[in-house]
Amino acid sequence: MVQEALTLDREPTFYLNGSYVTRAEAVLPVEERGGLFGEGVYEVVRVYNGVGYELEGHLERMHQSLRGIGVVDEGVHAEVEKLRGVSAELLRVHGLSEALVYWQVTRGVSRPRSFVFKAGNPATVMAMVYPVQAIDPAAAPVETTAMLAVDERWANCWIKSTMLLPNNLAYNRALEAGYGAAVMHRDGVVTEATSANFFVVKDGVLWTHPDNGRILNGITRQVLIRLAGGLGIEVRESLYGLDVLAVADEAFLAGTTTHVTAVTAIDGRAVGDGGVGPVSRRLHGALMGDVAAVCGMASAVG
Ligand code: PDD
């Protein structure tokens, strides 16, 4: 259950390699390695009330992801640092205060097509913004259902790679089957959802897959673990199997575009009593409270 981007009511402006350009100009060469090989990383930042929530955390992860795909050139990292100002300018140009900001860096052009990385090859740095519906921080968590899917991804899911084909296959299979999300598992271990992390609650304890490289260490995941500590909720970051899903009291997705979304049924079987559980509700409230405080929003939450 992802909060989808809306269409802009005007001609959009994109940022591409140092320039602000129109959609017609915002074109990547066919020999760009992002398209040829999926050699790219990205970030999605949610802007509430004009403020990028956890923007610094997203920026830091972008640097880590780039190093993870071997892009260590200081010049590229310096361009990534500029994305703070670029994002502010794109929001200003479009007059947006509720938005998703998308950043992407791909390795650059390979002419002719070659498997070999070339040192000093200029990377492609782009950014774009989309409007989204404002949230009501006082509203109850969104609910969804999920389908289980085999996690067919690579071993470096900690890198926020643009290579999302396995995620998109699983997600679209779930949608076609009438579910709102796909929760993935590998060798019997529950990993995460296709564009969100996954948590379960059993006997008041919050369980989630550890940050061991096999999942994306979501920014929202990190915030929720911190907030859970403040609420006195015990967190267990350890591997757990599909058997835990059968006995879980609650389950939820967590991510930049999902916030806390309660998963009320998995493969047609109710999770707990099939409603939004108390721990999910508290964590959702805490997340919304943090968003409201950080982004200067009026909040009816605690
Ligand atoms: N996706 N796991 C995966 C596989 C993801 O793609 C995402 C986010 C998350 C949650 O991470 P964060 O809390 O940092 O958003 C976990 C983004 C939103 C996307 O692809 O649009």
Side-chain angles (χ1 to χ4, degrees):
M1 190 50 67
V2 176
Q3 190 181 24
E4 296 283 355
L6 305 173
T7 310
L8 274 166
D9 57 8
R10 68 184 82 177
E11 185 57 30
T13 298
F14 298 84
Y15 174 82
L16 180 60
N17 293 331
S19 303
Y20 295 93
V21 294
T22 64
R23 181 172 272 149
E25 294 162 336
V27 177
L28 299 188
V30 290
E31 292 159 311
E32 223 287 342
R33 301 184 69 96
L36 286 178
F37 301 115
E39 290 176 5
V41 302
Y42 76 106
E43 283 294 329
V44 180
V45 183
R46 176 64 158 86
V47 173
Y48 305 89
N49 196 32
V51 181
Y53 182 64
E54 292 287 329
L55 186 136
E56 293 302 320
H58 285 281
L59 210 52
E60 182 47 38
R61 188 171 62 187
M62 187 99 184
H63 288 298
Q64 287 170 11
S65 293
L66 278 171
R67 287 190 283 267
I69 66 162
V71 176
V72 292
D73 182 341
E74 281 313 313
V76 179
H77 287 269
E79 289 304 312
V80 167
E81 283 296 294
K82 291 184 190 163
L83 291 172
R84 273 189 207 90
V86 166
S87 304
E89 177 60 8
L90 287 174
L91 292 169
R92 190 194 65 74
V93 165
H94 296 94
L96 293 177
S97 57
E98 298 295 328
L100 292 175
V101 177
Y102 180 89
W103 304 328
Q104 181 182 287
V105 179
T106 44
R107 200 186 300 276
V109 170
S110 175
R111 217 170 262 145
R113 177 178 180 271
S114 163
F115 300 120
V116 182
F117 300 155
K118 281 211 180 72
N121 192 30
T124 302
V125 180
M126 69 92 133
M128 54 191 181
V129 294
Y130 292 104
V132 275
Q133 206 84 57
I135 53 148
D136 172 4
V142 172
E143 297 177 35
T144 193
T145 59
M147 183 184 93
L148 290 175
V150 174
D151 192 335
E152 296 172 336
R153 301 172 303 162
W154 69 330
N156 290 309
C157 293
W158 64 274
I159 297 172
K160 198 159 171 59
S161 162
T162 53
M163 210 166 51
L164 291 171
L165 181 58
N167 306 49
N168 292 350
L169 283 171
Y171 183 50
N172 283 279
R173 264 190 230 119
L175 294 183
E176 281 159 23
Y179 299 92
V183 171
M184 299 183 286
H185 55 94
R186 183 188 295 118
D187 301 330
V189 170
V190 178
T191 51
E192 60 182 330
T194 58
S195 63
N197 290 113
F198 184 68
F199 290 76
V200 293
V201 180
K202 178 65 188 154
D203 298 330
V205 177
L206 194 57
W207 293 63
T208 199
H209 192 287
D211 170 30
N212 66 353
R214 291 306 187 101
I215 59 160
L216 183 75
N217 186 15
I219 303 292
T220 319
R221 174 187 182 278
Q222 295 170 47
V223 169
L224 286 173
I225 289 171
R226 173 171 58 78
L227 294 173
L231 292 170
I233 297 168
E234 188 187 331
V235 183
R236 209 165 289 168
E237 290 182 73
S238 53
L239 301 181
Y240 63 94
L242 290 167
D243 51 323
V244 172
L245 298 185
V247 297
D249 303 317
E250 305 176 35
F252 62 86
L253 312 175
T256 297
T257 52
T258 38
H259 308 112
V260 168
T261 294
V263 177
T264 55
I266 298 175
D267 278 352
R269 195 159 126 179
V271 177
D273 64 9
V276 182
V279 176
S280 311
R281 208 176 282 280
R282 284 177 78 202
L283 285 168
H284 167 76
L287 177 65
M288 291 297 103
D290 195 58
V291 165
V294 170
C295 302
M297 295 158 74
S299 165
V301 180

